mmCIF file of all heavy atoms in Angstrom:
data_model
loop_
_atom_site.group_PDB
_atom_site.id
_atom_site.type_symbol
_atom_site.label_atom_id
_atom_site.label_comp_id
_atom_site.label_asym_id
_atom_site.label_seq_id
_atom_site.Cartn_x
_atom_site.Cartn_y
_atom_site.Cartn_z
ATOM 1 N N LYS A 619 -9.795 -38.072 32.150
ATOM 2 C CA LYS A 619 -9.849 -39.542 32.106
ATOM 3 C C LYS A 619 -8.515 -40.135 32.562
ATOM 4 O O LYS A 619 -7.451 -39.570 32.278
ATOM 5 C CB LYS A 619 -10.133 -39.997 30.670
ATOM 6 C CG LYS A 619 -11.554 -39.720 30.217
ATOM 7 C CD LYS A 619 -12.031 -40.885 29.377
ATOM 8 C CE LYS A 619 -13.493 -40.884 29.035
ATOM 9 N NZ LYS A 619 -14.214 -39.645 28.900
ATOM 10 N N LEU A 620 -8.579 -41.252 33.239
ATOM 11 C CA LEU A 620 -7.347 -41.898 33.676
ATOM 12 C C LEU A 620 -6.647 -42.527 32.462
ATOM 13 O O LEU A 620 -7.201 -43.389 31.791
ATOM 14 C CB LEU A 620 -7.647 -42.973 34.715
ATOM 15 C CG LEU A 620 -6.396 -43.681 35.244
ATOM 16 C CD1 LEU A 620 -5.589 -42.760 36.143
ATOM 17 C CD2 LEU A 620 -6.749 -44.970 35.970
ATOM 18 N N GLU A 621 -5.427 -42.066 32.209
ATOM 19 C CA GLU A 621 -4.710 -42.590 31.045
ATOM 20 C C GLU A 621 -3.910 -43.825 31.401
ATOM 21 O O GLU A 621 -3.725 -44.734 30.592
ATOM 22 C CB GLU A 621 -3.744 -41.537 30.526
ATOM 23 C CG GLU A 621 -4.192 -40.855 29.267
ATOM 24 C CD GLU A 621 -3.090 -40.034 28.669
ATOM 25 O OE1 GLU A 621 -2.188 -40.633 28.063
ATOM 26 O OE2 GLU A 621 -3.106 -38.806 28.845
ATOM 27 N N GLY A 622 -3.402 -43.824 32.599
ATOM 28 C CA GLY A 622 -2.557 -44.926 33.031
ATOM 29 C C GLY A 622 -1.809 -44.494 34.265
ATOM 30 O O GLY A 622 -2.140 -43.454 34.855
ATOM 31 N N ILE A 623 -0.798 -45.220 34.651
ATOM 32 C CA ILE A 623 -0.024 -44.810 35.806
ATOM 33 C C ILE A 623 1.467 -44.969 35.504
ATOM 34 O O ILE A 623 1.852 -45.624 34.545
ATOM 35 C CB ILE A 623 -0.398 -45.623 37.075
ATOM 36 C CG1 ILE A 623 -0.044 -47.095 36.857
ATOM 37 C CG2 ILE A 623 -1.849 -45.468 37.466
ATOM 38 C CD1 ILE A 623 1.262 -47.415 37.456
ATOM 39 N N VAL A 624 2.251 -44.306 36.340
ATOM 40 C CA VAL A 624 3.698 -44.503 36.277
ATOM 41 C C VAL A 624 4.098 -45.198 37.568
ATOM 42 O O VAL A 624 3.655 -44.806 38.646
ATOM 43 C CB VAL A 624 4.447 -43.167 36.155
ATOM 44 C CG1 VAL A 624 5.958 -43.409 36.138
ATOM 45 C CG2 VAL A 624 4.021 -42.423 34.903
ATOM 46 N N GLU A 625 4.901 -46.252 37.472
ATOM 47 C CA GLU A 625 5.335 -46.975 38.655
ATOM 48 C C GLU A 625 6.646 -46.412 39.165
ATOM 49 O O GLU A 625 7.579 -46.190 38.398
ATOM 50 C CB GLU A 625 5.521 -48.456 38.326
ATOM 51 C CG GLU A 625 4.264 -49.266 38.472
ATOM 52 C CD GLU A 625 4.567 -50.749 38.337
ATOM 53 O OE1 GLU A 625 5.223 -51.123 37.344
ATOM 54 O OE2 GLU A 625 4.172 -51.513 39.223
ATOM 55 N N ARG A 626 6.701 -46.225 40.455
ATOM 56 C CA ARG A 626 7.910 -45.715 41.078
ATOM 57 C C ARG A 626 9.114 -46.594 40.714
ATOM 58 O O ARG A 626 10.159 -46.100 40.292
ATOM 59 C CB ARG A 626 7.745 -45.685 42.600
ATOM 60 C CG ARG A 626 9.014 -45.318 43.346
ATOM 61 C CD ARG A 626 8.868 -45.593 44.829
ATOM 62 N NE ARG A 626 8.007 -44.624 45.474
ATOM 63 C CZ ARG A 626 8.467 -43.573 46.168
ATOM 64 N NH1 ARG A 626 9.750 -43.375 46.297
ATOM 65 N NH2 ARG A 626 7.643 -42.748 46.726
ATOM 66 N N GLU A 627 8.888 -47.906 40.849
ATOM 67 C CA GLU A 627 9.974 -48.832 40.641
ATOM 68 C C GLU A 627 10.528 -48.740 39.219
ATOM 69 O O GLU A 627 11.727 -48.711 38.988
ATOM 70 C CB GLU A 627 9.443 -50.242 40.881
ATOM 71 C CG GLU A 627 10.458 -51.193 41.399
ATOM 72 C CD GLU A 627 9.858 -52.596 41.413
ATOM 73 O OE1 GLU A 627 8.705 -52.737 41.879
ATOM 74 O OE2 GLU A 627 10.527 -53.509 40.944
ATOM 75 N N ASP A 628 9.598 -48.661 38.291
ATOM 76 C CA ASP A 628 9.924 -48.579 36.885
ATOM 77 C C ASP A 628 10.808 -47.366 36.600
ATOM 78 O O ASP A 628 11.851 -47.447 35.965
ATOM 79 C CB ASP A 628 8.586 -48.459 36.133
ATOM 80 C CG ASP A 628 8.741 -48.844 34.675
ATOM 81 O OD1 ASP A 628 9.685 -49.589 34.373
ATOM 82 O OD2 ASP A 628 7.923 -48.374 33.865
ATOM 83 N N LEU A 629 10.350 -46.207 37.112
ATOM 84 C CA LEU A 629 11.069 -44.958 36.872
ATOM 85 C C LEU A 629 12.452 -44.992 37.512
ATOM 86 O O LEU A 629 13.446 -44.615 36.900
ATOM 87 C CB LEU A 629 10.240 -43.790 37.435
ATOM 88 C CG LEU A 629 10.808 -42.393 37.197
ATOM 89 C CD1 LEU A 629 10.874 -42.099 35.715
ATOM 90 C CD2 LEU A 629 9.926 -41.344 37.882
ATOM 91 N N TYR A 630 12.502 -45.496 38.744
ATOM 92 C CA TYR A 630 13.782 -45.511 39.450
ATOM 93 C C TYR A 630 14.773 -46.456 38.784
ATOM 94 O O TYR A 630 15.957 -46.184 38.706
ATOM 95 C CB TYR A 630 13.576 -45.887 40.924
ATOM 96 C CG TYR A 630 13.192 -44.694 41.772
ATOM 97 C CD1 TYR A 630 12.423 -43.672 41.243
ATOM 98 C CD2 TYR A 630 13.603 -44.594 43.104
ATOM 99 C CE1 TYR A 630 12.057 -42.591 42.006
ATOM 100 C CE2 TYR A 630 13.252 -43.503 43.874
ATOM 101 C CZ TYR A 630 12.474 -42.504 43.325
ATOM 102 O OH TYR A 630 12.126 -41.432 44.077
ATOM 103 N N ARG A 631 14.243 -47.600 38.302
ATOM 104 C CA ARG A 631 15.115 -48.545 37.633
ATOM 105 C C ARG A 631 15.722 -47.896 36.390
ATOM 106 O O ARG A 631 16.922 -47.979 36.137
ATOM 107 C CB ARG A 631 14.328 -49.807 37.240
ATOM 108 C CG ARG A 631 15.254 -50.966 36.873
ATOM 109 C CD ARG A 631 14.490 -52.224 36.452
ATOM 110 N NE ARG A 631 13.231 -52.439 37.134
ATOM 111 C CZ ARG A 631 12.042 -52.402 36.517
ATOM 112 N NH1 ARG A 631 11.969 -52.181 35.206
ATOM 113 N NH2 ARG A 631 10.941 -52.598 37.192
ATOM 114 N N PHE A 632 14.864 -47.178 35.642
ATOM 115 C CA PHE A 632 15.366 -46.518 34.443
ATOM 116 C C PHE A 632 16.444 -45.494 34.804
ATOM 117 O O PHE A 632 17.488 -45.415 34.176
ATOM 118 C CB PHE A 632 14.237 -45.815 33.688
ATOM 119 C CG PHE A 632 14.751 -44.999 32.559
ATOM 120 C CD1 PHE A 632 15.018 -45.580 31.333
ATOM 121 C CD2 PHE A 632 15.056 -43.644 32.738
ATOM 122 C CE1 PHE A 632 15.562 -44.835 30.305
ATOM 123 C CE2 PHE A 632 15.595 -42.899 31.711
ATOM 124 C CZ PHE A 632 15.840 -43.497 30.482
ATOM 125 N N LEU A 633 16.145 -44.679 35.833
ATOM 126 C CA LEU A 633 17.086 -43.624 36.216
ATOM 127 C C LEU A 633 18.452 -44.195 36.573
ATOM 128 O O LEU A 633 19.483 -43.643 36.210
ATOM 129 C CB LEU A 633 16.541 -42.825 37.399
ATOM 130 C CG LEU A 633 15.443 -41.842 37.038
ATOM 131 C CD1 LEU A 633 14.946 -41.142 38.289
ATOM 132 C CD2 LEU A 633 15.945 -40.832 36.029
ATOM 133 N N GLN A 634 18.387 -45.303 37.282
ATOM 134 C CA GLN A 634 19.657 -45.906 37.695
ATOM 135 C C GLN A 634 20.492 -46.271 36.468
ATOM 136 O O GLN A 634 21.665 -45.925 36.362
ATOM 137 C CB GLN A 634 19.407 -47.142 38.550
ATOM 138 C CG GLN A 634 20.714 -47.713 39.057
ATOM 139 C CD GLN A 634 20.507 -48.952 39.901
ATOM 140 O OE1 GLN A 634 19.370 -49.395 40.087
ATOM 141 N NE2 GLN A 634 21.568 -49.484 40.422
ATOM 142 N N GLN A 635 19.824 -46.916 35.500
ATOM 143 C CA GLN A 635 20.535 -47.299 34.279
ATOM 144 C C GLN A 635 21.033 -46.067 33.535
ATOM 145 O O GLN A 635 22.156 -46.025 33.042
ATOM 146 C CB GLN A 635 19.612 -48.102 33.367
ATOM 147 C CG GLN A 635 19.393 -49.513 33.868
ATOM 148 C CD GLN A 635 18.219 -50.180 33.153
ATOM 149 O OE1 GLN A 635 17.576 -49.554 32.296
ATOM 150 N NE2 GLN A 635 17.942 -51.410 33.507
ATOM 151 N N PHE A 636 20.156 -45.064 33.492
ATOM 152 C CA PHE A 636 20.475 -43.841 32.759
ATOM 153 C C PHE A 636 21.751 -43.197 33.298
ATOM 154 O O PHE A 636 22.658 -42.846 32.563
ATOM 155 C CB PHE A 636 19.294 -42.871 32.888
ATOM 156 C CG PHE A 636 19.488 -41.555 32.185
ATOM 157 C CD1 PHE A 636 19.310 -41.457 30.817
ATOM 158 C CD2 PHE A 636 19.841 -40.415 32.900
ATOM 159 C CE1 PHE A 636 19.476 -40.254 30.168
ATOM 160 C CE2 PHE A 636 20.012 -39.209 32.259
ATOM 161 C CZ PHE A 636 19.826 -39.135 30.890
ATOM 162 N N TYR A 637 21.819 -43.072 34.604
ATOM 163 C CA TYR A 637 22.996 -42.401 35.172
ATOM 164 C C TYR A 637 24.225 -43.285 35.130
ATOM 165 O O TYR A 637 25.341 -42.783 35.015
ATOM 166 C CB TYR A 637 22.689 -41.917 36.591
ATOM 167 C CG TYR A 637 21.812 -40.689 36.561
ATOM 168 C CD1 TYR A 637 20.500 -40.713 37.013
ATOM 169 C CD2 TYR A 637 22.303 -39.494 36.022
ATOM 170 C CE1 TYR A 637 19.697 -39.599 36.944
ATOM 171 C CE2 TYR A 637 21.494 -38.376 35.944
ATOM 172 C CZ TYR A 637 20.190 -38.431 36.412
ATOM 173 O OH TYR A 637 19.410 -37.335 36.325
ATOM 174 N N GLU A 638 24.021 -44.572 35.220
ATOM 175 C CA GLU A 638 25.171 -45.473 35.087
ATOM 176 C C GLU A 638 25.780 -45.350 33.708
ATOM 177 O O GLU A 638 26.986 -45.231 33.544
ATOM 178 C CB GLU A 638 24.730 -46.926 35.308
ATOM 179 C CG GLU A 638 25.002 -47.397 36.707
ATOM 180 C CD GLU A 638 24.538 -48.824 36.913
ATOM 181 O OE1 GLU A 638 24.465 -49.584 35.929
ATOM 182 O OE2 GLU A 638 24.241 -49.157 38.065
ATOM 183 N N ARG A 639 24.879 -45.308 32.706
ATOM 184 C CA ARG A 639 25.352 -45.217 31.334
ATOM 185 C C ARG A 639 26.092 -43.903 31.127
ATOM 186 O O ARG A 639 27.125 -43.826 30.517
ATOM 187 C CB ARG A 639 24.159 -45.314 30.396
ATOM 188 C CG ARG A 639 24.522 -45.788 28.994
ATOM 189 C CD ARG A 639 23.274 -46.095 28.251
ATOM 190 N NE ARG A 639 22.325 -45.283 28.900
ATOM 191 C CZ ARG A 639 21.069 -44.977 28.606
ATOM 192 N NH1 ARG A 639 20.579 -45.415 27.741
ATOM 193 N NH2 ARG A 639 20.260 -44.238 29.240
ATOM 194 N N LYS A 640 25.518 -42.867 31.710
ATOM 195 C CA LYS A 640 26.089 -41.537 31.512
ATOM 196 C C LYS A 640 27.458 -41.392 32.155
ATOM 197 O O LYS A 640 28.378 -40.816 31.585
ATOM 198 C CB LYS A 640 25.149 -40.473 32.099
ATOM 199 C CG LYS A 640 24.708 -39.475 31.075
ATOM 200 C CD LYS A 640 23.859 -38.420 31.695
ATOM 201 C CE LYS A 640 24.714 -37.362 32.356
ATOM 202 N NZ LYS A 640 23.906 -36.280 32.866
ATOM 203 N N SER A 641 27.568 -41.899 33.342
ATOM 204 C CA SER A 641 28.837 -41.714 34.041
ATOM 205 C C SER A 641 29.819 -42.821 33.675
ATOM 206 O O SER A 641 30.960 -42.808 34.108
ATOM 207 C CB SER A 641 28.602 -41.714 35.552
ATOM 208 O OG SER A 641 28.102 -42.963 35.939
ATOM 209 N N GLY A 642 29.331 -43.766 32.874
ATOM 210 C CA GLY A 642 30.195 -44.859 32.436
ATOM 211 C C GLY A 642 30.583 -45.761 33.588
ATOM 212 O O GLY A 642 31.383 -46.663 33.458
ATOM 213 N N GLY A 643 30.039 -45.550 34.746
ATOM 214 C CA GLY A 643 30.371 -46.395 35.889
ATOM 215 C C GLY A 643 29.147 -46.586 36.745
ATOM 216 O O GLY A 643 28.033 -46.630 36.247
ATOM 217 N N SER A 644 29.335 -46.653 38.015
ATOM 218 C CA SER A 644 28.193 -46.886 38.878
ATOM 219 C C SER A 644 28.194 -45.878 40.014
ATOM 220 O O SER A 644 29.004 -45.965 40.918
ATOM 221 C CB SER A 644 28.246 -48.299 39.438
ATOM 222 O OG SER A 644 29.588 -48.584 39.791
#
Side-chain angles (χ1 to χ4, degrees):
Chain A
K619 288 219 170 30
L620 181 72
E621 255 191 76
I623 64 97
V624 178
E625 273 189 309
R626 173 192 287 261
E627 210 188 314
D628 200 23
L629 183 63
Y630 276 33
R631 195 181 326 114
F632 173 84
L633 284 178
Q634 184 181 1
Q635 286 166 359
F636 180 79
Y637 285 112
E638 262 179 26
R639 203 169 25 170
K640 238 183 82 175
S641 63
S644 41

